[in-house]
Amino acid sequence: MPARHAATLPDGGAEDYDRLAPAVWNPVSNAVVAAADVLLGERVLDVFAGTGTGTIPAAQLAGPDGHVDAVDRSSAMLDLAEAKAEALGLGNVSFHRADPEAWVADVPYDAVVSCYGVFLLDDMDAAMDRIVGLLRPGGRIALSAWDDGALEPFGELLLATLREAGAAGVGTETQPTAPVFVENCRRLASAERLADWLGARGLTEVSVERFGLAVPLDADHAWSLALGSGYRGLLPDEPEALQRVREAFAERLGTSVVLNADSLIAVATRPPAGGTEPGAEPGAEPGTQPGIA
């Protein structure tokens, strides 16, 4: 069967994704929401909200007079996120099973957050331009991306295992190909690249900070990362084939591995009305030069 984009698998991987939340997703998502500087009463959009690792802290900061729209293609992910919101008594969140690339809103947002979500966009540039257009002038966008060298050797070992198994979408050992989300990750995998990409979206006051993170993984948690991340779209459907891939991957990986989860936290502002439009050439209007920490 052809390779599938991770986000076309709407109801798989939610529990596997959430297993890694305490060690990976929660600390980075908290940093993203902090960078967005969400204020009481503000409207926030969470793009590829997953199990709510960014949604929950954004809703807590926005308060009862604010509101968060959590958008994801996965019903299972959103069910977990909604359960967390209910447990915390948060009534200011709406959960939407929808394609973030096509999301529309009646009222502009004060902030958009996305925790490791933008590289799941099929056409990352055009889709991000559209998402930026959902912000009010002066609104902020904050997101996380993988830094250069992150997810290795995990990612290459998994892709090598899939190539050996003849999986679609990853090429062969002699002619490897990169899946869309892997290529998108690479496009943003440095502070300079990420800042330039956000500037090309017409955003100003761009700031990117590095967030160092190393996570020890045993074989079970490494497999949860495969099932609960963008790599899931490359895995076979058939249970027996999936088990063979798991066993071969575990053999390549060894008993344990320290995951390089180094990340980038970026924040940028949509310029006031009359400023640079999303998708315009960077530098078309004067703005604050990107800051890289």
Side-chain angles (χ1 to χ4, degrees):
M1 64 178 294
R4 305 151 295 169
H5 194 283
T8 66
L9 302 173
D11 295 314
E15 292 184 0
D16 289 288
Y17 177 93
D18 219 41
R19 285 186 72 190
L20 295 169
V24 182
W25 317 128
N26 287 349
V28 174
S29 297
N30 286 334
V32 169
V33 174
D37 195 22
V38 176
L39 303 176
L40 287 171
E42 289 196 318
R43 286 174 47 81
V44 182
L45 171 65
D46 189 357
V47 175
F48 286 108
T51 61
T53 58
T55 303
I56 299 302
Q60 290 171 323
L61 290 174
D65 293 330
H67 192 80
V68 178
D69 283 319
V71 181
D72 202 286
R73 291 169 175 158
S74 168
S75 298
M77 293 270 196
L78 292 176
D79 286 346
L80 287 178
E82 187 168 8
K84 294 175 186 178
E86 290 178 355
L88 293 169
L90 296 173
N92 60 341
V93 187
S94 296
F95 297 92
H96 309 274
R97 185 187 182 280
D99 187 345
E101 297 189 47
W103 179 250
V104 295
D106 295 332
V107 180
Y109 292 100
D110 299 292
V112 171
V113 297
S114 186
C115 304
Y116 301 112
V118 295
F119 37 71
L120 297 177
L121 299 166
D122 294 309
D123 185 341
M124 192 167 65
D125 294 352
M128 190 62 171
D129 290 343
R130 190 177 181 284
I131 290 168
V132 169
L134 300 177
L135 277 171
R136 64 167 175 80
R140 297 91 59 204
I141 187 161
L143 59 88
S144 61
W146 298 112
D147 201 355
D148 189 25
L151 294 183
E152 300 307 338
F154 170 90
E156 279 305 317
L157 291 174
L158 180 58
L159 290 176
T161 303
L162 290 168
R163 292 186 188 109
E164 188 176 79
V170 294
T172 65
E173 294 291 344
T174 56
Q175 292 183 311
T177 59
V180 172
F181 80 93
V182 173
E183 186 56 37
N184 285 345
C185 287
R186 291 173 180 170
R187 286 186 57 203
L188 306 183
S190 77
E192 293 78 9
R193 291 176 192 170
L194 182 54
D196 288 346
W197 183 75
L198 290 170
R201 314 275 67 80
L203 296 164
T204 59
E205 302 179 57
V206 179
S207 177
V208 181
E209 294 189 1
R210 294 181 173 89
F211 188 103
L213 186 62
V215 181
L217 296 179
D218 59 21
D220 288 340
H221 281 83
W223 188 241
S224 285
L225 180 59
L227 291 174
S229 68
Y231 292 100
R232 181 177 175 82
L234 304 171
L235 300 175
D237 285 322
E238 297 79 11
E240 291 185 3
L242 187 64
Q243 182 62 27
R244 286 195 297 270
V245 168
R246 178 176 185 173
E247 291 171 358
F249 177 54
E251 186 175 348
R252 285 180 184 266
L253 199 64
T255 55
S256 65
V257 66
V258 176
L259 177 72
N260 177 351
D262 289 349
S263 301
L264 302 168
I265 311 296
V267 63
T269 301
R270 183 178 184 183
T276 307
E277 289 299 316
E281 289 297 321
E285 292 286 341
T288 304
Q289 291 295 316
I292 299 172

